[in-house]
Each structure stands twice: as C-alpha cells, then as structure tokens.
Amino acid sequence: MRIVVDVERCMGHGQCEIVAPRLFKLDDQGVVVILHEHPDESLRKEAELAAARCPEGIIKIEDD
C-alpha cells in the first residue's frame, strides 16, 4: 500500500490527522504531512477512512 496526497490542494481541515494520527499530521502551516508513505497493511482501514473523510478528496490509497 502507498499513500499519495496532493499537498498543493490541502486546505488544512485536519480530518486525516484526527482519524489516522499514526499516518498523518499537519505541519506548522496547516498542510498535511504523510508520516508513513508505505504503511503496514494493518493500517489500511485508517488510511481509507482518512481518504474518505478528506473534504478536498486529496488522499489516495494505491496498491504497491
């Protein structure tokens, strides 16, 4: 699994950080940072929930 984020479109809502704090955080400017681009498969549900909750729809989950 690979997490891809279009950081240029991030509006800093923080939903990803709320539902998947092991995978995402917001930096000092309020832009999402991926903590693990290739997380363990056990974190897939968290990653998918973060993608679903993103108001901008900028988080994508790809299979390696």
Side-chain angles (χ1 to χ4, degrees):
M1 168 176 53
R2 178 175 178 234
I3 298 173
V4 179
V5 176
D6 182 354
V7 295
E8 297 297 320
R9 293 180 43 221
C10 180
M11 300 305 269
H13 297 288
Q15 292 300 303
C16 56
E17 185 177 33
I18 291 169
V19 299
R22 295 185 288 179
L23 298 173
F24 304 97
K25 72 172 188 168
L26 297 183
D27 67 13
D28 293 339
Q29 285 75 42
V31 177
V32 66
V33 174
I34 302 171
L35 299 176
H36 303 286
E37 184 177 350
H38 296 276
D40 186 77
E41 192 64 31
S42 65
L43 296 174
R44 180 176 287 273
K45 286 187 180 187
E46 284 182 46
E48 290 174 346
L49 182 57
R53 291 271 182 98
C54 178
E56 307 306 323
I58 63 168
I59 300 172
K60 305 294 180 210
I61 310 304
E62 299 176 346
D63 289 317
D64 288 338

